[in-house]
Structures are given as structure tokens and as C-alpha cells.
Amino acid sequence: MRQQKDPRSLIIRKRPSIWARLRRAAILLVLWLITGFIIYINVCFLLGVYSDALVSDYLVLNLSLHLYKTLAILVIIVAVLITFFGTLHINTLKRREKHREQDNA
């Protein structure tokens, strides 16, 4: 009887260098800080808290309903692309493993 392979064994793991991990962490931190700042500005405006700095930041960022719709569409497109290419990559890895098993048999 043939044993089922562990699906986690299909994943090829390459450990990135410390500099690559630090760079990714810095980029993610900056993106989260920007996102948090935009949310903070919007919450302040929704609660009716205004200041000159908030108004100028709001105008600089040009926050509008049109921008929100555009960003939402962009997020959906990126999510679909990531899902598509991830599925494609997993299927490629499965095919490679199947060919390796046939070559080794």
C-alpha cells in the first residue's frame, strides 16, 4: 500500500539572509505606519476633531471616496493575482515532485 506524502514536504524552503529579512521588516513597518496614519486621519475627521495639521495632511493625501474605490479595486486585483500565481507555483512544485519520483523509481 502506498503511503501519502506530507503536503508540507512539497515546499522548497530557502532561508533568506538577515539583511533581506531586516529590509522586509523595515518595508512592512513603514507600510503599516502609513496605513495607521491614514486611518487615524479618517477617524479624527469622522469624530469631528480638526486641526490645521490634520487638514493639511488630509489635503496632501487627497483622501476621497474615489480614492477609496480605486484602492479597494487595487487590493482585490492584487489578491486575485497572488492567489493565481500561488496556485500556479504550487502546481509546478507538485509536477516537479512527481517527475522526480518517476525518475528515482
Side-chain angles (χ1 to χ4, degrees):
M1 191 170 204
R2 189 173 176 187
Q3 291 181 351
Q4 285 293 100
K5 281 205 167 200
D6 185 18
R8 291 175 288 170
S9 67
L10 298 176
I11 298 172
I12 298 171
R13 298 185 190 278
K14 179 185 172 197
R15 192 165 185 161
S17 69
I18 187 74
W19 299 112
R21 285 186 276 169
L22 287 174
R23 186 181 67 233
R24 288 180 192 153
I27 291 170
L28 281 173
L29 180 68
V30 168
L31 288 174
W32 277 112
L33 287 174
I34 291 170
T35 303
F37 183 64
I38 291 173
I39 291 171
Y40 168 73
I41 291 173
N42 284 314
V43 168
C44 286
F45 269 85
L46 288 173
L47 296 175
V49 178
Y50 301 103
S51 71
D52 290 340
L54 279 177
V55 171
S56 64
D57 290 337
Y58 192 86
L59 293 174
V60 166
L61 294 171
N62 194 18
L63 301 174
S64 65
L65 185 60
H66 176 69
L67 179 66
Y68 289 141
K69 288 180 185 176
T70 306
L71 287 175
I73 291 170
L74 181 65
V75 166
I76 291 170
I77 289 171
V78 167
V80 167
L81 286 174
I82 288 172
T83 304
F84 174 73
F85 285 113
T87 305
L88 214 74
H89 185 65
I90 289 172
N91 288 337
T92 303
L93 289 175
K94 285 180 181 179
R95 270 190 256 116
R96 283 184 193 171
E97 190 215 8
K98 193 179 291 185
H99 287 292
R100 277 193 214 122
E101 283 182 5
Q102 290 174 355
D103 291 342
N104 291 336

